[in-house]
Amino acid sequence: MLVFFLFLLLSLSSHPLSLSLNQDGLFLLQAKRQLSDPDNSLSSWNSSDHTPCQWRGVTCNSLTAAVTAVNLTSLGLSGNFPAAFCRLPSLSSLSLPDNLINSTLPAAITTCRSLHYLDLSDNALVGPIPDYLAELPTLRHLDLSSNNLSGGIPASLAALPKLETLVLVYNLLSGIIPSSLSNISTLKHLQLAYNPFHPGPIPSQLGNLTNLETIWLTQCNLVGPIPDSLGNLARLTNIDLSQNNLTGTIPKSFTRLRRVIQVELYQNSLSGELPSGMSNMTSLKFFDASMNELTGKLPNELCELPLASLNLYENQLGGSLPFSIARSSNLFELKLFKNKLVGELPSDLGSNSPLLHLDVSTNGFSGEIPANLCRRGEFEELILMFNSFSGGIPESLGNCKSITRVRLKNNNLSGSVPERFWGLPRVHLLELSDNSLSGHISNAISGAYNLSSLLLSNNKFSGSIPEEIGLLNGLVEFTAGNNNLSGQIPGSLVNLNQLGNLDLSYNQLSGELFGGIRHLTKLTGLNLANNSFYGGIPSELGSLPLLNSLDLSGNSFSGEIPPQLQNLKLSELNLSYNRLSGDVPSLFANDKYRMSFIGNPGLCGYFSGPCRGSGKGKNWSYVKYIFVLAGVLFIVGMVWFCMKYMKVRKLKKGFSTSRWRSFHKLGFSEFEVAKLLSEDNVIGTGASGKVYKVVLSNGEVVAAKKLWGANANNVVGNVVGSGKDDFDAEVETLGRIRHKNIVKLWCCCNSGDHRLLVYEYMPNGSLADMLKGGKKSLLDWPTRYKIAIDAAEGLSYLHHDCVPPIVHRDVKSNNILLDEEFVAKVSDFGVAKIVNRASQGTEPMSAIAGSYGYIAPEYAYTLRVNEKSDIYSFGVVILELVTGRPPIGPEYGENDLVKWVSFALEQGGLDHVIDPMLDSKYREEISKVLSVGLHCTNPLPITRPTMRSVVKMLQEVTTVTKCRNVKDWKVPYTHEGTSYNNIKEA
Ligand SMILES: *[C@@H]1O[C@H](CO)[C@@H](O)[C@H](O)[C@H]1NC(C)=O
Ligand SMILES: *[C@@H]1O[C@H](CO)[C@@H](O)[C@H](O)[C@H]1NC(C)=O
């Protein structure tokens, strides 16, 4: 007895202050202990207060001090759902969105008797939606979206008598949508989109839910017709049934939906005509039935609606556009591409509405481009390609400073381009190819300083290329093949250090090839074929690191082929029909390059015998050349045509028939991403693919990485379609990973040779970019230290918390990205493996072992990549953070940063190594972090620490120096263990 009493006393005294905290506060502390709080977000939850009413995220009744609401949005909390919250007797609102709660929904939740509002969206909840949720009699708002909940929607939810909002979007729910949901007569918002349901119909009983205001059923595997009964939903404002397999027609009953503002039906298999009577939908602003099989004409009555956006692209609509559409005074977007529409566009289109986007490409439109599109001065996108528009580009568009994209390819436009149209300041894509435009490229083009793609091929442009082109320093692509351009290439072109593709073939350009071409370090394709260039081929071409396709054929280049060209990784080389002489460099002396050199009678070596004394038979060989030439031209032409044709088809097919899968709640359509990929958005090019920055129509920004496909063999070797299933499996794994220090993979698309990964966009770019150049000053020591810890935690998660562990394979400062608050997130993990898989074949993982300067030394003899190689690479990143120096560079000679650091430490000591930009008051911390880096870059893999201990060592750097209370950190940890067990037993 005495012992028991003592024990009681002891256990009370272990909470000496808690006696003063009220009961609700104690429940909250209990909940806190059930959670893991790595960012210490709940530090204000402190037992020394009397009430919890001032604690972060807690709301109390002002009279009784009873806790009524808990809101812990985005605090990085993880662990089990803290059932202790449900012991708060007055709790009516519980919001824990955007954390990492990873348990099932426990039965204890039924004790949350007063709950009106429950938001657990964006967590990692697993298991089924339990039947017993229906026992929360007062629940009005239930949001479980963006979790990993599985199983069916329980029919019992129908028993919730007051439910108004049901949001289950983005889970792994299966089964079909239960018709019993129609018993929840109070329901206003029904949102079940993005779940892998079994194929099933839209229950027609939903038409009984007369309070419904929004229905969101995107990607729910819906089949069959849209029930007529939905026309009874008199309060409906928003209905989205897109991306399903719905068939039949758009019900006529929809025309009774007088309050409806938005109707999204895109990407189904709806057929028939648009219903008559749409003019009754007097609130309709957004209507999108694109990518269906609709036929018939666009009804005139559309023009009586307050339409702001009308999207009907990729259907089979015919007839002409109602002229009265130009009267719609709200219209900002009109997208009708890929239909069978004919006739002219109304000439006053854009006069009466704030038109921004017009895309009527791939139809049979003719006549002139309407002159008033930009009357309101807001017009941005003019996309008319693949029609039969004729006449000139209207002079008025030259004043339209708001234009950003112009795509007029493949029409019958003629005349010269208005002077001011060349210099539109916001245009980044100017595509005029395949018309009959003439005149000069105006020097006013210098005003188009945002231009990244200038595509002028297959027109009748003449005159010289203006020197001003060199001012467009964002230019990535410049194609003007098959025109009548003459004169020399302006020397200013060497300033275009972003230029990736330059095609000036089939013109009358002449002169010697411009010097300084080595400055075009991003150049991947150079085509100057069939002009009148002369002089030598500059050897500096051989120093262009990315050059992949080089065509100088059909000119008068003379002299020897510079041996430096052998440094290039070329997939295409054509120097034929010039006046080259001397030996063919040995690398090219094989049959693969036979066609690359023909038509150069002075060349000798492999193809034409030894260099001297073969005067005989020369005439013969000319005849032979002519035959060969004819043959080659024919074959090249055919191949070119086929490739072009297939490429276009593949691109279209690849992304539109879609092998998309998404891993998070998306506020955008994946198709939109694919649509917006263009060379002008490229923000980076790496070993595994090209990265695009995509600004979506809703303002959101994502980063899309297009992996090098089967025909981009320049970098990776032969990645072929056989790796497809592996790809899906791998990406599935990557997509499911949620960690605060890992860049989110939103979704991906795999269609064999086109693979696209869509990531969260990180506004501060990569650590590598930050460390380079002027922005380095933003990285003071505390920021760098935090970056090291963040990145280490991300990697540690991959190594230790994923089953099976994920080896990054390409850890480097380029792959550590920074968000707007400089939180570091690891990106691109596993991609090297995906890319490697297909090409693996004989050697183990050898195509990409990481990046130069980061590759662990043992790789040289084991050719294996494992966790220990990641740790080496991470050590290099730490050294970069400490020294502010790049991992490799000419200043190290044969060595790299790792060697440099150990050498510099020996010679000059610590102060010689630390980045001079860092404040010396952190010297001690920096030196400790440096020693972690040295530990990681130990040449012996076995002596390198694990990632988990790297995190710990890095954390200890400050805990010890600042003497932070170690107790604070430890005590809750042990408590967590005990209280968790208590709950379980209870
Ligand atoms: C919870 O707090 C966040 C901001 O932290 C706020 O945006 C959100 O509206 C709050 N939720 C509720 C239900 O009060
Ligand atoms: C859930 O989160 C906790 C705390 O972060 C972690 O320890 C646990 O391993 C996680 N459980 C699962 C199944 O991921």
Side-chain angles (χ1 to χ4, degrees):
M1 191 64 202
L2 188 67
V3 174
F4 176 69
F5 187 70
L6 265 177
F7 175 76
L8 197 70
L9 203 68
L10 257 172
S11 58
L12 277 176
S13 65
S14 72
H15 302 280
L17 296 165
S18 57
L19 285 176
S20 57
L21 181 61
N22 69 11
Q23 184 59 52
D24 277 8
L26 291 173
F27 287 143
L28 286 172
L29 284 186
Q30 204 174 10
K32 173 179 172 177
R33 277 182 230 120
Q34 288 170 340
L35 287 166
S36 146
D37 177 15
D39 303 337
N40 215 2
S41 309
L42 301 182
S43 55
S44 62
W45 291 33
N46 203 311
S47 51
S48 55
D49 297 321
H50 294 286
T51 72
C53 300
Q54 304 299 319
W55 293 359
R56 184 172 192 175
V58 175
T59 310
C60 294
N61 178 313
S62 54
L63 295 177
T64 62
V67 173
T68 56
V70 173
N71 180 358
L72 305 176
T73 301
S74 308
L75 298 185
L77 305 171
S78 60
N80 290 332
F81 175 81
F85 283 133
C86 288
R87 304 179 72 178
L88 294 164
S90 306
L91 187 71
S92 72
S93 169
L94 178 58
S95 297
L96 306 170
D98 193 16
N99 286 294
L100 286 158
I101 295 171
N102 61 5
S103 62
T104 56
L105 278 170
I109 201 162
T110 55
T111 55
C112 272
R113 299 301 287 183
S114 322
L115 216 53
H116 292 245
Y117 188 101
L118 178 59
D119 183 354
L120 298 173
S121 60
D122 239 315
N123 277 288
L125 294 169
V126 294
I129 297 176
D131 264 329
Y132 42 70
L133 265 191
E135 290 169 32
L136 298 176
T138 53
L139 202 60
R140 291 203 193 117
H141 180 105
L142 176 60
D143 187 347
L144 301 175
S145 56
S146 295
N147 280 288
N148 293 328
L149 296 166
S150 52
I153 297 179
S156 60
L157 285 190
L160 286 167
K162 295 194 168 160
L163 196 65
E164 291 177 1
T165 303
L166 177 61
V167 186
L168 304 177
V169 177
Y170 281 104
N171 276 289
L172 303 170
L173 299 173
S174 52
I176 61 172
I177 297 176
S179 55
S180 61
L181 289 181
S182 63
N183 295 333
I184 316 177
S185 58
T186 45
L187 204 60
K188 290 184 178 167
H189 306 283
L190 176 63
Q191 308 191 347
L192 309 177
Y194 298 102
N195 275 294
F197 291 120
H198 297 314
I202 301 177
S204 65
Q205 295 89 331
L206 292 186
N208 302 337
L209 292 172
T210 48
N211 286 311
L212 268 189
E213 292 169 18
T214 63
I215 300 183
W216 187 19
L217 300 177
T218 303
Q219 269 191 32
C220 285
N221 217 346
L222 300 170
V223 296
I226 301 176
D228 268 334
S229 62
L230 296 190
N232 301 337
L233 301 174
R235 292 171 192 238
L236 202 64
T237 56
N238 245 295
I239 177 164
D240 188 341
L241 306 176
S242 58
Q243 302 185 46
N244 285 293
N245 297 311
L246 296 167
T247 49
T249 57
I250 299 175
K252 173 126 175 55
S253 65
F254 266 38
T255 61
R256 298 205 305 266
L257 299 171
R258 280 169 192 281
R259 296 215 191 156
V260 86
I261 297 172
Q262 180 168 21
V263 176
E264 304 289 336
L265 302 173
Y266 60 88
Q267 227 192 332
N268 277 290
S269 301
L270 299 170
S271 54
E273 307 197 357
L274 292 174
S276 64
M278 282 182 78
S279 55
N280 294 330
M281 302 166 83
T282 45
S283 310
L284 189 63
K285 282 182 133 178
F286 303 91
F287 186 74
D288 190 343
S290 308
M291 297 185 269
N292 280 290
E293 289 146 31
L294 300 174
T295 51
K297 295 183 176 182
L298 295 184
N300 244 317
E301 46 180 343
L302 281 184
C303 314
E304 290 159 36
L305 302 177
L307 276 181
S309 161
L310 177 60
N311 283 335
L312 289 168
Y313 57 84
E314 295 188 40
N315 279 292
Q316 283 140 38
L317 298 164
S320 55
L321 195 61
F323 260 66
S324 46
I325 195 98
R327 288 205 313 262
S328 306
S329 60
N330 295 314
L331 201 66
F332 74 87
E333 180 173 74
L334 181 61
K335 294 193 172 172
L336 300 170
F337 58 89
K338 282 205 204 145
N339 277 291
K340 295 175 175 158
L341 298 162
V342 295
E344 302 195 0
L345 293 182
S347 61
D348 49 351
L349 192 63
S351 307
N352 304 312
S353 69
L355 197 63
L356 292 180
H357 305 147
L358 175 66
D359 188 346
V360 298
S361 50
T362 320
N363 278 290
F365 285 114
S366 53
E368 302 212 349
I369 300 176
N372 294 315
L373 288 172
C374 195
R375 171 78 64 83
R376 300 286 199 93
E378 292 170 34
F379 193 60
E380 290 179 0
E381 295 191 356
L382 176 64
I383 305 185
L384 307 178
M385 56 191 181
F386 296 101
N387 279 289
S388 303
F389 289 103
S390 56
I393 296 174
E395 204 60 51
S396 60
L397 289 183
N399 300 327
C400 191
K401 297 222 163 71
S402 51
I403 293 191
T404 59
R405 283 159 77 85
V406 176
R407 311 196 70 178
L408 304 179
K409 184 187 167 81
N410 234 305
N411 280 287
N412 303 325
L413 300 169
S414 57
S416 56
V417 174
E419 182 82 4
R420 304 172 70 166
F421 193 76
W422 286 112
L424 292 172
R426 292 184 58 201
V427 163
H428 51 88
L429 171 61
L430 183 57
E431 183 173 35
L432 308 176
S433 324
D434 301 292
N435 280 289
S436 302
L437 296 162
S438 54
H440 294 203
I441 303 176
S442 163
N443 53 13
I445 200 160
S446 58
Y449 45 80
N450 275 311
L451 204 57
S452 72
S453 290
L454 178 60
L455 310 175
L456 308 176
S457 299
N458 301 323
N459 277 291
K460 295 176 178 158
F461 291 114
S462 56
S464 56
I465 301 172
E467 193 71 33
E468 282 78 2
I469 201 120
L471 298 171
L472 307 177
N473 49 21
L475 203 62
V476 172
E477 190 172 17
F478 178 28
T479 66
N482 208 0
N483 280 289
N484 299 322
L485 299 169
S486 54
Q488 304 202 351
I489 297 183
S492 62
L493 213 73
V494 301
N495 299 332
L496 301 179
N497 56 12
Q498 298 299 313
L499 196 64
N501 187 20
L502 179 62
D503 178 359
L504 301 173
S505 59
Y506 291 92
N507 279 291
Q508 284 120 46
L509 297 162
S510 61
E512 296 203 30
L513 205 50
F514 49 107
I517 202 165
R518 66 178 180 282
H519 297 302
L520 302 181
T521 51
K522 299 263 173 78
L523 204 62
T524 59
L526 177 63
N527 186 353
L528 303 176
N530 292 293
N531 281 287
S532 305
F533 293 107
Y534 51 81
I537 296 177
S539 60
E540 50 179 328
L541 273 178
S543 64
L544 293 175
L546 300 176
L547 193 67
N548 165 9
S549 164
L550 176 63
D551 190 345
L552 304 176
S553 62
N555 282 288
S556 303
F557 286 111
S558 55
E560 302 210 342
I561 299 171
Q564 288 85 346
L565 293 191
Q566 296 174 109
N567 301 337
L568 299 171
K569 295 182 190 70
L570 292 171
S571 65
E572 190 188 345
L573 173 65
N574 193 351
L575 304 179
S576 61
Y577 299 96
N578 278 292
R579 297 182 188 158
L580 300 167
S581 55
D583 266 319
V584 170
S586 56
L587 185 72
F588 302 130
N590 60 55
D591 279 351
K592 192 176 155 205
Y593 292 98
R594 179 167 289 280
M595 295 307 181
S596 303
F597 301 103
I598 58 166
N600 286 289
L603 274 185
C604 41
Y606 184 77
F607 302 114
S608 25
C611 264
R612 278 168 203 283
S614 58
K616 261 182 154 185
K618 221 172 186 183
N619 288 338
W620 249 118
S621 58
Y622 271 121
V623 175
K624 257 186 346 205
Y625 285 139
I626 288 170
F627 275 104
V628 173
L629 168 65
V632 168
L633 278 181
F634 179 70
I635 292 168
V636 168
M638 286 300 285
V639 169
W640 177 83
F641 178 80
C642 291
M643 278 175 48
K644 193 103 174 174
Y645 179 73
M646 293 195 12
K647 219 171 182 172
V648 170
R649 280 192 42 168
K650 265 186 201 153
L651 258 179
K652 277 197 285 192
K653 264 227 148 76
F655 291 131
S656 66
T657 59
S658 114
R659 306 253 344 240
W660 282 101
R661 48 181 69 214
S662 35
F663 310 107
H664 293 265
K665 173 171 178 173
L666 305 186
F668 55 86
S669 134
E670 300 90 332
F671 291 92
E672 202 189 343
V673 179
K675 269 188 317 204
L676 293 175
L677 289 189
S678 71
E679 290 307 304
D680 34 321
N681 302 335
V682 174
I683 49 173
T685 306
S688 54
K690 248 187 204 174
V691 185
Y692 302 77
K693 172 183 175 181
V694 180
V695 184
L696 299 160
S697 55
N698 63 1
E700 205 168 322
V701 184
V702 298
K705 175 162 209 163
K706 193 160 142 203
L707 297 182
W708 298 121
N711 37 22
N713 49 3
N714 49 342
V715 185
V716 182
N718 311 310
V719 176
V720 278
S722 66
K724 196 163 163 180
D725 299 332
D726 282 344
F727 174 87
D728 285 345
E730 294 287 350
V731 170
E732 190 75 36
T733 322
L734 309 188
R736 295 283 166 222
I737 291 176
R738 283 154 196 231
H739 187 273
K740 66 182 173 45
N741 301 117
I742 290 177
V743 174
K744 276 189 187 137
L745 177 60
W746 292 124
C747 57
C748 78
C749 171
N750 176 19
S751 64
D753 48 4
H754 286 102
R755 294 139 169 222
L756 194 67
L757 300 171
V758 181
Y759 292 99
E760 103 186 86
Y761 176 69
M762 303 286 286
N764 272 320
S766 73
L767 175 60
D769 290 340
M770 273 288 166
L771 283 173
K772 268 191 276 209
K775 290 190 241 161
K776 195 161 124 184
S777 56
L778 295 174
L779 297 181
D780 57 3
W781 176 251
T783 311
R784 293 193 200 185
Y785 171 66
K786 179 141 183 318
I787 290 173
I789 291 199
D790 284 346
E793 285 187 346
L795 284 173
S796 167
Y797 182 81
L798 295 178
H799 285 188
H800 300 290
D801 297 314
C802 294
V803 186
I806 294 179
V807 180
H808 188 298
R809 288 162 199 280
D810 199 9
V811 176
K812 55 178 171 177
S813 51
N814 290 79
N815 280 339
I816 293 173
L817 305 184
L818 304 173
D819 75 3
E820 63 272 27
E821 271 141 13
F822 288 91
V823 173
K825 303 192 185 190
V826 176
S827 84
D828 238 13
F829 55 95
V831 172
K833 184 167 169 203
I834 298 172
V835 177
N836 266 350
R837 270 291 169 97
S839 59
Q840 208 177 349
T842 49
E843 324 108 286
M845 295 296 173
S846 61
I848 297 179
S851 300
Y852 200 51
Y854 296 89
I855 301 173
E858 71 271 15
Y859 178 74
Y861 49 90
T862 61
L863 290 183
R864 267 181 205 291
V865 177
N866 59 19
E867 285 96 329
K868 292 290 183 189
S869 6
D870 274 1
I871 288 159
Y872 180 91
S873 313
F874 184 69
V876 178
V877 173
I878 294 187
L879 300 187
E880 285 180 81
L881 284 166
V882 168
T883 63
R885 291 169 150 269
I888 50 171
E891 66 267 40
Y892 309 133
E894 291 286 291
N895 293 326
D896 54 16
L897 178 61
V898 177
K899 300 241 174 59
W900 179 87
V901 168
S902 49
F903 186 74
L905 274 176
E906 260 170 45
Q907 300 294 307
L910 189 58
D911 295 315
H912 203 67
V913 173
I914 296 180
D915 186 348
M917 287 183 93
L918 294 174
D919 191 331
S920 57
K921 75 176 181 205
Y922 297 111
R923 192 171 181 274
E924 199 183 333
E925 270 183 50
I926 298 174
S927 117
K928 285 182 179 156
V929 170
L930 174 64
S931 63
V932 178
L934 293 173
H935 200 135
C936 293
T937 50
N938 194 305
L940 272 185
I942 193 149
T943 58
R944 291 175 208 149
T946 64
M947 214 56 225
R948 195 170 263 157
S949 42
V950 172
V951 173
K952 226 167 146 210
M953 289 189 296
L954 287 173
Q955 281 168 339
E956 279 164 5
V957 165
T958 48
T959 25
V960 182
T961 21
K962 288 189 190 154
C963 291
R964 192 188 283 167
N965 194 346
V966 179
K967 244 167 134 196
D968 274 357
W969 195 74
K970 281 252 160 76
V971 173
Y973 178 74
T974 45
H975 273 199
E976 185 183 16
T978 50
S979 57
Y980 176 65
N981 289 335
N982 291 347
I983 291 282
K984 259 190 152 174
E985 281 161 26

